[in-house]
């Protein structure tokens, strides 16, 4: 038997031989086109790197291009051995030698027929290719059906794959198919562990012992009318000296879910509760999420209660900090957003049907929300949220109507109370040197800083001339720049432009600035019933106040982040499919829309009334030529330009099912209106960018900016 040393030497020799022949292992990544890329695996270990030598290691490419012909032989996610060469442009190009491993064994897709051939259009990430379905393996599937399929023969080396149908999910007319399909594509399924009520009752009695009894206090919840998983409740009082006493009762999920238990593992896999159009996939089973852990009206529940003493200026009172205690509470009322908003708009003392002990807090609560919001506006960054669109489905599971909702005082109250509780929790844990799962937003992308500085020089000259000028790579500089952009009156949407130059937020166990909120550190702890990260931080707090031991270092942040991204993409797919079906019913109708993305081919606009987003292909307009201003994200024409936040009239054309997007046409009146072309900045004279590069400019950064704040008030 070979010893470990001998095996290591063999690996080194094998790797050295391969590299001398320009052969490398890598993972296949697809694209929006027919081509792809090979991400080259790094050297396996330090010994291998040393064996290759510094000169040899420097030759190891990081990525190589895969031509459409090569992509026909492989699938995204495959691990392959490839030979790397350079084309006439000096670009690293990969030729696949062998497939070492393929994870694409089972997948979902759409059954299609082309001539006499039957295929599945796969939903494999990075690939919309068609794979042949063996004649005797088609079951009852028909063209147009969504199916779950299995790969029988890999396409390597001749590009001829074979698949079989395992089961049929339905077609576009099937009720709930959008959610069902998204769950299959991204494997979003509820856990199997189901605690019995008798077990829960015994645990409640056990965990109640020794806790503070706050069941007589008039806590109340504020949520949507149909919400069942209520994870926070409020108690707000005004002290005689004018300061506020804010108590936030957070359902104590940590008392119910033990680390490393089956229940915990299933929750970690989901990472969050996911709110699909047709159903909710709860992070925890209904016995907990809708009953024992939900702060239901008139029911005693385990809670972790945070107390904050807030002065008239929005700061915590001097020499105070957020305090926590484990308690038993009983919510005295479930207040809906609409109820509180209606109370705020009505005359004082109007009848609500709610307990007086609860309504007596409303005036002080709304006043506190105003103070906290002003504090954020002054001391941090306050982003305006885009409207919510509430969808009503018909009996067939399709969109019947869409209602546009602007957040009111009730939504702002919850947001401000939760954001401040989260912030002060982060500050407390940092002061205690405790680990937790922090949310970080690094601000502008490093590769975009040159562009940011260019925009500041042209659009915010006062900042550029300041001594010292704000550094966009720091929290202080970022905050200064974004506040100036918010208040700037300009023909160009400078704030929206800068928002598209930012990174995404991410999770980590080390406190770091959250630039988009303007805060030194931030985390979320107020939704442990719905978010696994919050549950882990609640466990840290439990350990801090003397109930057990837990360190967030035990959490696999990369896996948690991947699971969160997976769930978000699943919900987005379901909503996209549902919206596309709705758009077909709007074909030919005219709407006012707002431009939310600009790329090398045209722009995406969102209809103001219903939130439907569609693409306008400017390249298809024979009567006009446009060039992309890549600095300011504008499509500049001879007589008219299109830019972010611009209002345009569009006509819904239909749905491009091959590319999975809704198509808009510009209304005739838009093109007929040809004002003098706005003076384009110097950067606009640069050559037109390739569409593949320009298409990377999306609105994700803007959505991420407000996600941490808005999640606190999600139903």
């Amino acid at each position: 038997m070979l010893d470990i040393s001998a095996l290591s030497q063999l690996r080194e020799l094998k790797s050295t031989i391969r590299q001398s022949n320009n052969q490398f292992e890598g993972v296949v990544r697809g694209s929006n086109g027919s081509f792809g890329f090979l991400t080259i695996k790094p050297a396996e270990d330090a010994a291998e790197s040393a064996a290759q030598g510094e000169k040899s290691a420097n030759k190891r490419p990081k990525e190589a291009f895969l031509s459409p012909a090569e992509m026909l032989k492989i699938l995204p996610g495959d691990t392959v051995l490839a030979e790397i060469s350079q084309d006439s442009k000096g670009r690293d190009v990969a030729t696949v030698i062998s497939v070492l491993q393929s994870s694409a064994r089972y997948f979902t897709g759409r059954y299609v027929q082309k001539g006499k051939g039957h295929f599945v259009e796969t939903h494999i990430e990075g690939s919309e290719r068609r794979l042949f379905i063996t004649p005797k393996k088609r079951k009852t599937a028909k063209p147009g059906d969504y199916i779950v399929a299995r790969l029988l023969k890999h396409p390597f080396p001749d590009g001829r794959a074979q698949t079989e149908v395992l089961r049929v999910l339905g077609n576009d007319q099937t009720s709930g198919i959008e959610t069902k399909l998204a769950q299959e594509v991204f494997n979003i399924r509820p856990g199997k562990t189901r605690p019995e009520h008798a077990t829960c009752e015994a645990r409640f009695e056990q965990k109640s012992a020794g806790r503070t009894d706050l069941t007589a206090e008039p806590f109340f919840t504020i949520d949507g009318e149909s919400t069942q998983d209520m994870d926070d409740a409020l108690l707000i009082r005004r002290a005689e000296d004018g300061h506020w006493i804010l108590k936030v009762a957070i359902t104590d999920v940590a008392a119910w879910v033990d680390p490393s238990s089956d229940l915990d593992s299933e929750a970690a896999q989901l990472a969050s509760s996911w709110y699909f159009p047709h159903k909710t996939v709860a992070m925890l089973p209904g016995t907990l999420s809708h009953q024992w852990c939900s702060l239901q009206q008139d029911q005693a529940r385990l809670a972790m209660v945070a107390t904050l003493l807030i002065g008239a200026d929005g700061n915590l009172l001097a020499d105070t900090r957020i305090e926590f205690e484990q308690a038993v509470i009983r919510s005295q009322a479930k207040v809906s957003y609409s109820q509180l908003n209606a109370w705020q708009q009505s005359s004082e003392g109007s009848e609500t049907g709610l307990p007086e002990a609860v309504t007596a807090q409303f005036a002080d609560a709304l006043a506190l929300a105003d103070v906290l919001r002003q504090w954020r506006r002054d001391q941090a960054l306050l982003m305006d949220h885009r409207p919510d669109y509430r969808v009503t489905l018909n009996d067939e599971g399709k969109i019947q109507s869409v209602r546009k909702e602007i957040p009111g005082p009730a939504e702002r109250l919850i947001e401000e109370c939760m954001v401040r509780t989260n912030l002060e929790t982060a500050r407390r844990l940092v002061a205690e040197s405790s680990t937790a799962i922090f949310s970080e937003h690094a601000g502008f992308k490093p590769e975009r800083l040159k562009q940011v500085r260019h925009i500041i020089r042209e659009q915010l000259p006062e900042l550029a001339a300041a001594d010292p000028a704000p550094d966009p790579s720091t929290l202080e500089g970022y905050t200064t720049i974004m506040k100036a952009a918010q208040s700037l009156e300009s023909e160009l949407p400078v704030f929206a432009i800068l928002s598209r130059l930012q990174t995404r937020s991410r999770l980590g166990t080390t406190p770091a600035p959250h630039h988009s909120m303007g805060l030194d550190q931030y985390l979320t702890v107020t939704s442990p019933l719905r978010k696994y990260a919050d549950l882990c931080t609640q466990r840290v707090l439990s350990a801090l106040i003397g109930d057990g031991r837990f360190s967030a270092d035990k959490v696999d942040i990369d896996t948690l982040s991947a699971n969160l991204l997976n769930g978000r993409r699943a919900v987005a797919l379901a909503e996209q499919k549902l919206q596309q079906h709705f758009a077909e019913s709007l074909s030919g109708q005219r709407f006012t829309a707002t431009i939310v993305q600009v790329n090398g081919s045209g722009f995406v606009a969102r209809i103001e009334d219903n939130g439907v987003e569609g693409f306008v292909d400017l390249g298809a307009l024979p009567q006009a030529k446009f060039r992309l201003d890549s600095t300011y994200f504008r499509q500049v024409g001879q007589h008219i330009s299109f830019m972010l936040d611009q209002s345009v009239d569009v006509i819904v054309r239909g749905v491009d099912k091959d590319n999975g997007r809704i198509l808009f046409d510009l209304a005739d009146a838009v093109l007929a209106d040809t004002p003098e072309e706005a003076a384009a900045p110097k950067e606009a004279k640069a050559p037109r960018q390739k569409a593949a590069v320009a298409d990377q400019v999306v609105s994700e950064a803007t959505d991420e900016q407000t996600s941490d704040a808005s999640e606190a008030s999600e139903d």
Side-chain angles (χ1 to χ4, degrees):
M1 180 180 293
L2 293 174
D3 60 20
I4 295 177
S5 176
L7 288 172
S8 178
Q9 291 174 7
L10 284 175
R11 285 199 303 268
E12 292 168 10
L13 178 61
K14 185 178 180 180
S15 177
T16 301
I17 293 173
R18 282 180 174 176
Q19 186 154 337
S20 66
N21 293 325
N22 291 323
Q23 295 177 5
F24 300 90
E25 290 185 21
V27 178
V28 177
R29 175 167 59 86
S31 72
N32 291 331
S34 57
F35 57 89
F37 299 93
L38 184 69
T39 302
I40 309 299
K41 286 188 174 182
E44 290 186 2
D45 50 38
E48 181 183 341
S49 298
Q52 293 170 357
E54 181 179 353
K55 183 177 179 180
S56 178
N58 288 338
K59 294 180 180 179
R60 176 183 288 269
K62 294 182 179 179
E63 189 173 74
F65 178 78
L66 284 163
S67 68
E70 289 299 306
M71 285 298 292
L72 284 176
K73 301 186 292 186
I74 50 182
L75 296 169
D78 284 353
T79 300
V80 304
L81 178 65
E83 181 178 337
I84 308 300
S85 59
Q86 289 192 328
D87 62 11
S88 59
K89 299 179 181 179
R91 178 176 55 178
D92 288 324
V93 176
T95 302
V96 178
I97 298 172
S98 62
V99 176
L100 304 177
Q101 183 180 359
S102 182
S103 58
R105 186 179 178 188
Y106 299 94
F107 49 86
T108 60
R110 187 183 182 95
Y111 191 109
V112 296
Q113 183 175 354
K114 297 295 180 180
K116 295 182 179 180
H118 294 247
F119 304 87
V120 53
E121 288 182 340
T122 67
H123 291 142
I124 300 173
E125 181 180 1
S127 173
E128 291 292 336
R129 67 184 293 179
R130 299 186 183 116
L131 302 179
F132 181 70
I133 303 175
T134 303
K136 295 182 179 181
K137 301 289 186 178
R138 295 167 185 168
K139 290 192 173 0
T140 60
K142 301 181 297 295
D145 285 344
Y146 293 105
I147 63 174
V148 177
R150 178 167 61 187
L151 189 67
L152 296 177
K153 178 185 177 298
H154 193 279
F156 189 84
D158 57 7
R160 296 179 180 178
Q162 293 183 13
T163 64
E164 70 170 331
V165 176
L166 293 182
R167 66 181 189 275
V168 176
L169 300 176
N171 55 42
D172 284 329
Q173 305 308 315
T174 302
S175 179
I177 186 61
E178 298 83 2
T179 293
K180 190 175 183 180
L181 176 64
Q183 285 186 259
E184 285 287 345
V185 172
F186 293 98
N187 193 28
I188 303 296
R189 293 181 175 86
K192 297 180 181 179
T193 305
R194 295 286 186 272
E196 298 291 335
H197 281 286
T199 304
C200 292
E201 188 171 1
R203 192 175 186 102
F204 176 81
E205 294 300 325
Q206 174 196 357
K207 292 292 184 177
S208 296
R211 289 180 175 242
T212 306
D213 185 354
L214 298 178
T215 54
E217 297 291 335
F219 282 95
F220 62 97
T221 62
I222 304 178
D223 274 290
E225 294 178 1
S226 61
T227 302
Q228 299 183 63
D229 51 348
M230 294 165 286
D231 48 18
D232 54 70
L234 300 178
L235 176 64
I236 300 173
R237 290 196 177 106
R238 197 78 180 265
E240 291 183 1
D241 63 359
H243 76 266
W244 282 271
I245 302 170
L246 168 63
K247 288 185 179 290
V248 180
I250 306 166
T251 181
D252 197 351
V253 180
W256 292 95
V257 182
D258 298 327
S260 302
S261 63
D262 290 343
L263 198 57
D264 179 66
S265 298
E266 292 169 355
Q269 178 64 36
L270 278 170
S272 175
S273 292
W274 299 111
Y275 298 89
F276 289 94
H278 305 90
K279 64 187 293 187
T280 295
V281 178
M283 185 179 77
L284 295 172
T287 313
L288 296 180
S289 63
H290 292 167
Q291 296 179 53
W292 289 95
C293 286
S294 180
L295 303 182
Q296 297 174 330
Q297 180 176 335
D298 298 328
Q299 299 296 321
R301 293 290 183 257
L302 304 178
M304 182 172 286
V305 179
T307 301
L308 301 88
L309 305 180
I310 301 171
D313 59 358
N315 289 304
L316 296 190
L317 296 187
D319 300 322
T320 69
R321 62 181 183 179
I322 190 169
E323 299 291 349
F324 297 93
E325 62 180 329
Q326 291 174 319
V328 179
I329 74 155
R330 180 182 285 111
S331 171
Q332 293 193 10
K334 178 186 177 182
V335 183
S336 69
Y337 292 120
S338 57
Q339 277 182 306
L340 183 51
N341 288 334
W343 181 91
Q344 191 270 341
Q345 295 171 6
S346 64
S347 58
E348 186 176 349
S350 61
E351 183 60 38
T352 62
L354 299 169
E356 183 179 352
V358 170
T359 57
Q361 302 178 58
F362 284 176
D364 287 338
L366 295 175
L368 172 61
D370 289 340
V371 168
L372 293 177
R373 198 165 186 82
Q374 187 60 48
W375 182 91
R376 276 213 291 159
R377 186 176 287 110
D378 295 339
Q379 304 297 325
L381 265 176
L382 185 62
M383 302 294 182
D384 292 329
H385 300 308
R386 71 187 192 194
D388 289 327
Y389 292 94
R390 299 293 180 183
V391 172
T392 299
L393 303 180
N394 58 24
D395 293 339
E396 288 73 43
K398 308 303 179 185
I399 295 178
Q400 176 175 304
S401 62
V402 181
R403 184 175 74 254
K404 181 179 179 180
E405 293 185 350
I406 306 297
E411 289 84 356
R412 290 195 293 270
L413 168 63
I414 289 297
E415 178 183 333
E416 295 306 326
C417 289
M418 298 307 119
V419 166
R420 193 54 179 274
T421 301
N422 290 328
L423 170 60
E424 298 300 338
T425 300
R427 289 175 168 175
R428 171 79 185 271
L429 291 178
V430 169
E432 299 279 355
S433 300
S434 297
T435 60
I437 300 181
F438 293 90
S439 181
E440 171 190 355
H441 184 272
F444 298 116
K445 296 176 181 177
E447 66 271 21
R448 293 287 193 171
L449 288 175
K450 182 179 180 181
Q451 183 177 351
V452 171
R453 292 188 174 97
H454 177 88
I455 293 172
I456 293 171
R457 286 195 301 271
E458 290 197 345
Q459 306 302 323
L460 299 167
E462 300 84 358
L463 289 185
D467 188 17
D471 182 351
S473 66
T474 67
L475 174 63
E476 181 181 3
Y478 171 92
T479 303
T480 299
I481 292 166
M482 295 305 287
K483 282 188 174 182
Q486 268 185 323
S487 59
L488 180 68
E489 294 184 4
S490 170
E491 293 182 359
L492 288 173
V494 177
F495 182 81
I497 294 166
L498 291 173
S499 296
R500 274 129 179 103
L501 302 177
Q502 300 177 25
T503 63
R504 290 186 175 193
S505 62
R506 65 177 188 177
L507 300 177
T509 54
T510 302
H514 199 294
H515 283 69
S516 71
M517 297 185 76
L519 300 171
D520 288 329
Q521 61 268 316
Y522 191 73
L523 55 70
T524 57
V525 70
T526 54
S527 295
L529 189 55
R530 312 179 193 191
K531 296 192 291 183
Y532 189 76
D534 292 42
L535 168 57
C536 292
T537 298
Q538 188 177 68
R539 288 170 173 162
V540 173
L541 290 173
S542 296
L544 182 66
I545 60 180
D547 183 12
R549 296 181 179 181
F550 182 81
S551 173
D553 288 334
K554 298 178 180 179
V555 180
D556 186 337
I557 295 296
D558 290 340
T559 299
L560 176 59
S561 299
N563 291 342
L564 284 169
L565 179 60
N566 188 63
R568 288 170 184 152
R569 292 172 65 192
V571 173
L573 175 61
E575 292 177 343
Q576 178 191 50
K577 291 287 186 182
L578 195 64
Q579 196 177 78
Q580 288 173 5
H581 188 276
F582 181 55
E584 291 178 334
S585 69
L586 304 177
S587 181
Q589 296 186 39
R590 178 171 175 158
F591 297 93
T592 298
T594 301
I595 297 176
V596 295
Q597 298 178 26
V598 178
N599 61 35
S601 304
F603 59 82
V604 174
R606 180 186 300 126
I607 296 175
E608 295 177 5
D609 290 341
N610 55 34
V612 171
E613 295 185 4
F615 180 70
V616 175
D617 184 3
L618 294 177
L621 299 177
Q623 70 271 45
K625 298 294 183 181
F626 292 87
R627 55 188 170 86
L628 178 68
D629 171 3
S630 59
T631 296
Y632 290 97
F633 305 140
R634 301 194 311 169
Q635 281 283 359
V636 182
Q638 184 177 2
H639 300 293
I640 189 170
S641 297
F642 296 100
M643 67 186 73
L644 295 172
D645 286 356
Q646 181 178 336
S647 181
V648 293
D649 285 345
V650 298
I651 296 173
V652 180
R653 186 201 307 175
V655 178
D656 177 1
K657 293 185 178 180
D658 289 336
N659 293 305
R661 62 183 179 183
I662 299 167
L663 300 177
F664 290 165
D665 289 324
L666 287 169
D668 292 340
V670 173
L671 293 179
D673 182 15
T674 55
E676 291 298 323
E677 180 181 2
K682 295 179 181 178
E683 186 69 16
K685 297 179 181 180
R688 183 185 179 105
Q689 300 290 309
K690 292 182 179 179
V693 175
D695 284 348
Q696 296 175 10
V697 180
V698 296
S699 62
E700 290 171 342
T702 302
D703 297 337
E704 285 287 339
Q705 285 181 13
T706 58
S707 63
D708 292 305
S710 62
E711 280 178 355
S713 58
E714 287 180 352
D715 290 344

